[in-house]
């Protein structure tokens, strides 16, 4: 029953109702509290003036809302009674229950009468502190409101069930413990309130005061007061007016106040309303049961959230530890490479020291021997060995001049750790928010003005429809084989632009794109037809062999970070002593293609390699060290040399030329797929690429004969 306590407390004083009255809005007030919040209104607003003007429709007239500002819209805590000359602006207060209470303009005069008997100022107005509806009292004042005897009974039973010390019913703030009870007034008093409100003189001297415990027993044993009519205080309610929804007495019916209304027996309506309230309570009880089950579910969720939090934290710690372990393993691998580089540099320098030491010893010995020979005075003997000694000295001097006194290794470590992508990934490390499923994204639109072809490459661009509300997580771009065959995926990702390399020259491709998210895949876009470049058609003397060529340069995007490009990406060198790989920007999968590279710089016997490679070839080792590249090294390559590469995908062969001379037979056979021109070199080499060249005549003649 503790949850019911708020229903039993007055919204003005915050204590249990004392002599509660029922306002027309169905809310309750203590009778004393109702008197405390009365406000006097002008004569023009009185019910008598309204009846005289013919505008009155009931005994209780609600004030127009536009004539009273109950509280400010900004919730400033102030209410005003604008429009009433006798009612100045009065700040509102808050009761213990949190509702606004409008105090009277002037404090009521002190009186020893009960609140019901005390006179009420003329033209008084009362505002309900809960719904803020205002009404003007008639001549009966507060006696015109019915008393809520049912609420009094409920409060009595509740207080008895609490078995708490009886409190004074007239204390304004913190109620003190009651010391007496008046059987006639049916009110519990503490000593100060008894002396102030119930003095032992006048009519009150005849009242019988008893101890609070005895008063509680007598109240419980005394018969329940019967509710009387508000218009006829000596008459008990016996009938119920259905239209007015209120109990009435026989005298009210005889006076004709409810002559045209439907009137029923009080007992029958009492049973009917009890039945209706019981039925309504059944539905409310179901809602309360559901609420209790929901609370149980929420409490279970609290426990599950705590358990899941512990589990998730453990998983997060394990994942972070795994990342740390992987980083430590990579750290060990990188340190091993540094140590390997360290040992390699030391070995090269020590070998050079040993070699130079031996050679210096030999040179020093030769010099000392020659000096001793010069000291000889025998001319014929000197001339017999002088020619040989002179040749030995010149030969030794020449040996010292061929880079012998140049260090073969630098002291710097040409290793640079690129940790920026990893740091960026760490900073972007976050949780993936699982979202509720949504519809599939809309069909993408290919942007025709941005789609184009260049040589044997095609660039396509697309976007989501302008009014699309469903986000796409990625896109799938598909192309056919250039001969009207089946479509194949060439790109899957979040970008809305893609360049496809390695297409056939002079071919027609069909392209389409679709979007996807976690829910599914959108329909395909409209198909776009693309035509690759025709290139240049060279015809040989036999008029039976032709070649389509393309102009291209090196690709800085796929090259190793140590690669240095210049001359519009046609000239390449390297900043490292280790071999690094760079690819051409155009890939080939069909036809015959020939290009040349000239060696601009060639120092200290480096080992450059020239050939073709797959797009995923290793970029930090010499070309041909893995199974993704096919290349030639050395073979008479010097400064100023010209290396030719002939890729014949019709015959699936790869042939090399040095200074227009073929290097042996066909270097590689069964070459099939998508290949890119490729070069590997270090800082001692610089080469320049030449493209758009015809096939050497002797090869085309031989190919036509074959």
């Amino acid at each position: 029953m503790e949850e019911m306590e708020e229903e039993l407390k007055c919204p003005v004083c915050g204590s249990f109702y004392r002599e509660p009255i029922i306002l027309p809005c169905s809310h309750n007030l203590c009778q004393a509290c109702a008197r405390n919040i009365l406000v006097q209104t002008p004569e023009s607003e009185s019910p008598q003036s309204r009846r005289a003007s013919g505008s009155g429709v009931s005994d209780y007239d609600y004030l127009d809302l536009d004539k009273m500002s109950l509280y400010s819209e900004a919730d400033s805590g102030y209410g005003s009674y604008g429009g009433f000359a006798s009612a100045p602006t009065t700040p509102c207060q808050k009761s213990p229950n949190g509702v606004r209470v409008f105090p009277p303009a002037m404090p009521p005069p002190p009186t020893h009468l009960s609140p019901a008997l005390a006179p009420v100022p003329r033209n008084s107005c009362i505002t309900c502190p809960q719904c803020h509806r205002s009404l003007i009292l008639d001549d009966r004042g507060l006696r015109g409101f019915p008393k809520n005897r049912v609420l009094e009974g409920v409060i009595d039973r509740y207080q008895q069930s609490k078995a708490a010390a009886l409190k004074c019913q007239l204390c304004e703030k913190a109620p003190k413990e009651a010391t007496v009870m008046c059987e006639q007034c049916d009110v519990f008093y503490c000593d100060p309130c008894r002396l102030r409100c119930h003095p032992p003189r006048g009519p009150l001297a005849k009242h019988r005061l008893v101890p609070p415990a005895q008063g509680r027993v007598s109240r419980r044993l005394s018969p329940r007061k019967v509710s009387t009519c508000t218009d006829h205080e000596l008459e008990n309610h016996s009938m119920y007016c259905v239209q007015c929804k209120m109990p009435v007495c026989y005298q009210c019916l005889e006076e004709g106040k409810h002559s045209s209304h439907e009137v029923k027996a009080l007992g029958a309506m009492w049973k009917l309303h009890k039945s209706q309230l019981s039925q309504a309570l059944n539905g409310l009880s179901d809602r309360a049961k559901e609420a209790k089950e929901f609370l149980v579910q929420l409490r279970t969720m609290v426990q599950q959230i705590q358990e899941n939090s512990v589990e998730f934290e453990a998983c997060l710690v394990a994942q972070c530890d795994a990342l740390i372990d992987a980083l430590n393993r990579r750290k060990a691998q990188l340190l091993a490479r540094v140590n390997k580089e360290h040992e390699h540099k030391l070995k090269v320098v020590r070998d050079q020291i040993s070699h130079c030491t031996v050679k210096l010893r030999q040179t020093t010995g030769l010099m000392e021997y020659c000096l001793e020979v010069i000291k000889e005075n025998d001319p014929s003997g000197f001339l017999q060995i002088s020619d040989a000694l002179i040749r030995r000295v010149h030969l030794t001097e020449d040996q010292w001049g061929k880079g012998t006194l140049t260090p073969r290794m630098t002291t710097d470590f040409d290793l640079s750790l690129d940790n920026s992508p990893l740091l960026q990934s760490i900073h972007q490390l976050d949780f993936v928010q699982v979202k509720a499923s949504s519809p599939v994204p809309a069909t993408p639109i290919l942007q025709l003005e941005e789609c184009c072809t260049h040589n044997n490459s095609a660039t396509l661009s697309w976007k989501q429809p302008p009014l699309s509300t469903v986000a796409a997580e990625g896109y799938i771009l598909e192309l056919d084989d250039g001969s009207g065959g089946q479509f194949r995926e060439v790109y899957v990702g979040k970008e809305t632009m893609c360049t496809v390399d390695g297409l056939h020259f002079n071919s027609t491709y069909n392209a389409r794109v679709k979007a996807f998210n976690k829910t599914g895949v959108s329909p395909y876009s409209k198909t776009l037809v693309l035509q690759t470049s025709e290139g240049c058609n060279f015809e040989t003397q036999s008029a039976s062999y032709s070649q389509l060529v393309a102009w291209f340069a090196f690709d800085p995007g796929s090259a190793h970070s140590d690669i240095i490009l210049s001359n519009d990406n046609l000239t390449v060198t390297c900043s490292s002593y280790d071999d690094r790989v760079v690819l051409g920007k155009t890939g080939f999968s069909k036809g015959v293609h020939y290009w040349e590279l000239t060696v601009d710089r060639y120092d200290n016997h480096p080992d450059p390699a020239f050939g073709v490679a797959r797009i995923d070839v290793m970029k930090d080792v010499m070309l041909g060290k893995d199974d993704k590249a096919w290349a030639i090294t050395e073979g008479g390559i010097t400064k100023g040399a010209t290396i030719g590469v002939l890729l014949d995908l019709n015959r699936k062969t790869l042939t090399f030329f040095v200074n227009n001379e073929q290097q042996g037979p066909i270097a590689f056979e069964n070459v099939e797929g998508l290949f890119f021109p490729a070069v590997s070199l270090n800082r001692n080499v610089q080469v320049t690429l030449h493209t758009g060249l015809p096939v050497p005549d002797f090869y085309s003649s031989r190919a036509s004969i074959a």
Side-chain angles (χ1 to χ4, degrees):
M1 296 179 64
E2 293 182 357
E3 291 85 354
M4 182 181 63
E5 185 168 321
E6 291 301 321
E7 294 286 336
L8 308 180
K9 290 185 177 180
C10 174
V12 177
C13 64
S15 302
F16 289 110
Y17 286 105
R18 297 187 296 272
E19 298 184 3
I21 59 175
I22 306 175
L23 300 180
C25 57
S26 300
H27 293 125
N28 299 283
L29 285 176
C30 296
Q31 198 169 47
C33 295
R35 182 176 183 82
N36 288 337
I37 64 174
L38 288 177
V39 175
Q40 192 170 0
T41 61
E43 289 292 338
S44 59
E45 299 294 335
S46 65
Q48 291 84 355
S49 61
R50 290 194 176 188
R51 293 191 193 100
S53 61
S55 60
V57 293
S58 65
D59 289 341
Y60 293 98
D61 297 322
Y62 284 102
L63 296 176
D64 295 335
L65 292 179
D66 61 347
K67 293 185 178 180
M68 180 174 289
S69 175
L70 300 178
Y71 51 89
S72 69
E73 294 182 359
D75 197 18
S76 62
Y78 288 87
S80 63
Y81 295 87
F84 301 117
S86 61
T89 301
T90 308
C92 69
Q93 302 172 347
K94 284 191 176 182
S95 74
N97 286 356
V99 299
R100 281 179 169 76
V101 179
F102 297 90
M106 297 181 60
T111 178
H112 300 305
L113 299 177
S114 65
L117 300 177
V120 174
R122 287 177 54 82
N123 307 328
S124 296
C125 166
I126 187 171
T127 299
C128 176
Q130 290 182 287
C131 66
H132 307 296
R133 296 183 66 182
S134 300
L135 56 96
I136 299 176
L137 276 62
D138 59 10
D139 294 337
R140 294 173 296 172
L142 295 178
R143 290 183 293 104
F145 298 116
K147 294 180 175 59
N148 196 338
R149 302 297 183 186
V150 175
L151 179 58
E152 283 185 313
V154 173
I155 293 174
D156 288 342
R157 290 195 298 273
Y158 178 77
Q159 290 180 333
Q160 293 169 12
S161 65
K162 296 282 288 185
L166 293 173
K167 302 293 182 179
C168 175
Q169 293 179 283
L170 296 181
C171 289
E172 294 182 356
K173 294 184 178 179
K176 299 179 181 179
E177 186 174 348
T179 57
V180 295
M181 174 196 171
C182 177
E183 290 185 339
Q184 285 71 29
C185 298
D186 195 18
V187 176
F188 290 92
Y189 298 95
C190 64
D191 288 336
C193 292
R194 178 179 60 81
L195 294 176
R196 186 179 70 254
C197 303
H198 202 286
R201 60 179 178 270
L204 299 179
K206 298 180 181 180
H207 289 193
R208 183 167 179 260
L209 302 179
V210 297
Q214 180 181 347
R216 172 187 285 176
V217 174
S218 61
R219 174 183 284 185
R220 189 185 309 134
L221 297 178
S222 62
R224 179 68 52 81
K225 295 181 180 180
V226 179
S227 178
T228 58
C229 179
T230 56
D231 294 333
H232 311 94
E233 296 183 356
L234 299 180
E235 296 291 337
N236 296 331
H237 290 138
S238 58
M239 303 297 289
Y240 183 83
C241 179
V242 178
Q243 276 75 7
C244 298
K245 296 184 179 180
M246 60 180 295
V248 295
C249 65
Y250 280 111
Q251 191 169 346
C252 291
L253 298 179
E254 291 177 357
E255 291 177 356
K257 290 184 178 181
H258 305 274
S259 59
S260 61
H261 297 175
E262 181 182 2
V263 179
K264 292 187 178 181
L266 188 66
M269 293 303 297
W270 174 51
K271 293 181 180 180
L272 175 62
H273 281 210
K274 272 194 172 185
S275 175
Q276 293 177 351
L277 180 59
S278 298
Q279 292 177 0
L281 283 175
N282 289 335
L284 186 60
S285 176
D286 294 339
R287 300 289 84 78
K289 183 178 179 181
E290 294 176 0
K292 290 180 179 179
E293 295 174 353
F294 181 64
L295 286 174
V296 172
Q297 179 183 353
L298 292 179
R299 294 189 180 98
T300 304
M301 287 180 62
V302 170
Q303 182 178 358
Q304 291 177 349
I305 290 173
Q306 293 174 344
E307 295 175 355
N308 292 342
S309 175
V310 173
E311 181 181 353
F312 187 78
E313 287 179 4
C315 181
L316 177 62
V317 170
Q319 288 177 319
C320 292
D321 290 343
L323 292 176
I324 295 173
D325 291 341
L327 185 60
N328 287 331
R329 288 194 299 270
R330 188 57 180 167
K331 173 184 174 182
Q333 295 173 358
L334 294 176
L335 287 175
R337 287 184 57 186
V338 173
N339 291 333
K340 184 178 179 181
E341 180 73 9
H342 168 250
E343 295 297 333
H344 173 68
K345 285 179 176 291
L346 289 179
K347 182 178 182 303
V348 171
V349 174
R350 286 169 179 169
D351 289 346
Q352 193 173 11
I353 290 174
S354 176
H355 176 73
C356 187
T357 301
V358 172
K359 199 169 187 64
L360 180 60
R361 186 183 301 114
Q362 294 173 353
T363 302
T364 303
L366 178 61
M367 291 173 59
E368 292 177 353
Y369 174 68
C370 290
L371 290 174
E372 292 299 325
V373 170
I374 292 174
K375 293 178 182 180
E376 291 293 329
N377 296 324
D378 184 4
S380 60
F382 178 82
L383 292 174
Q384 287 178 348
I385 63 174
S386 61
D387 289 338
L389 288 176
I390 292 172
R391 286 194 302 271
R392 285 185 62 188
V393 169
H394 285 304
L395 180 61
T396 303
E397 182 182 2
D398 291 340
Q399 290 176 350
W400 282 108
K402 293 183 178 179
T404 308
L405 299 180
T406 302
R408 298 178 183 174
M409 188 63 64
T410 62
T411 58
D412 297 331
F413 282 79
D414 297 320
L415 298 174
S416 178
L417 182 62
D418 185 11
N419 61 349
S420 55
L422 181 59
L423 287 176
Q424 184 178 2
S425 299
I426 292 175
H427 291 315
Q428 293 177 349
L429 188 64
D430 202 351
F431 300 106
V432 177
Q433 182 69 35
V434 180
K435 298 181 179 179
S437 59
S438 58
V440 297
T443 303
I445 300 174
L446 285 167
Q447 303 188 84
L448 303 181
E449 65 277 6
E450 297 185 14
C451 297
C452 62
T453 60
H454 176 71
N455 284 340
N456 62 339
S457 299
T459 299
L460 296 104
S461 177
W462 58 89
K463 65 179 181 180
Q464 282 289 98
L467 300 179
S468 175
T469 58
V470 181
E473 296 182 5
Y475 302 92
I476 301 174
L477 177 64
E478 296 183 357
L479 264 70
D480 64 1
D481 59 359
S483 302
Q486 293 184 347
F487 282 89
R488 57 187 176 90
E489 294 182 0
V490 295
Y491 172 77
V492 178
K494 297 181 179 180
E495 301 297 330
T496 57
M497 179 176 287
C498 176
T499 298
V500 184
D501 297 318
L503 303 177
H504 302 322
F505 282 95
N506 196 22
S507 300
T508 302
Y509 288 88
N510 294 311
R512 63 186 184 183
V513 66
K514 59 183 177 181
F516 66 87
N517 59 12
K518 292 181 179 179
T519 304
V521 181
S522 74
Y524 284 105
S525 66
K526 294 182 178 180
T527 301
L528 177 65
V529 180
L530 299 167
Q531 177 70 39
T532 56
S533 173
E534 295 183 358
C536 288
N537 193 341
F538 289 97
E539 295 187 359
T540 64
Q541 295 177 354
S542 62
S544 60
Y545 183 81
S546 63
Q547 172 204 11
L548 289 174
V549 301
W551 284 265
F552 59 90
F554 290 115
D555 182 15
S558 63
H560 193 277
S561 58
D562 293 338
I563 290 294
I564 301 174
L565 294 170
S566 60
N567 188 23
D568 293 332
N569 297 332
L570 293 175
T571 301
V572 61
T573 185
C574 180
S575 62
S576 172
Y577 283 105
D578 296 323
D579 292 306
R580 300 292 186 245
V581 174
V582 59
L583 301 180
K585 203 164 188 178
T586 301
F588 304 106
S589 60
K590 183 180 180 182
V592 181
H593 308 278
Y594 178 75
W595 62 93
E596 291 180 348
L597 301 109
T598 57
V599 180
D600 304 327
R601 180 164 49 83
Y602 189 87
D603 302 329
N604 298 330
H605 304 285
D607 294 322
F610 309 90
V612 296
R614 304 284 190 189
I615 188 65
D616 55 348
V617 66
M618 295 177 62
K619 305 293 195 312
D620 56 355
V621 297
M622 179 183 290
L623 200 66
K625 291 293 185 180
D626 60 1
D627 59 350
K628 306 292 185 180
W630 294 258
I632 180 177
T633 59
E634 295 296 343
I637 297 175
T638 59
K639 180 179 179 180
T642 300
I643 296 89
V645 182
L646 176 61
L647 178 63
D648 188 347
L649 292 171
N650 295 337
R651 300 174 60 191
K652 302 179 182 179
T653 61
L654 180 63
T655 308
F656 297 99
F657 302 84
V658 177
N659 297 327
N660 295 324
E661 293 184 3
Q662 183 173 340
Q663 295 296 296
I666 294 174
F668 298 99
E669 296 180 337
N670 299 321
V671 180
E672 186 175 6
L674 176 62
F675 298 94
F676 291 82
V679 176
S680 69
L681 41 72
N682 60 19
R683 65 187 303 170
N684 293 320
V685 183
Q686 176 177 303
V687 300
T688 299
L689 175 65
H690 305 276
T691 62
L693 303 177
V695 174
D697 292 338
F698 71 89
Y699 180 83
S700 58
S701 300
R702 186 178 62 184
S704 62
I705 295 174

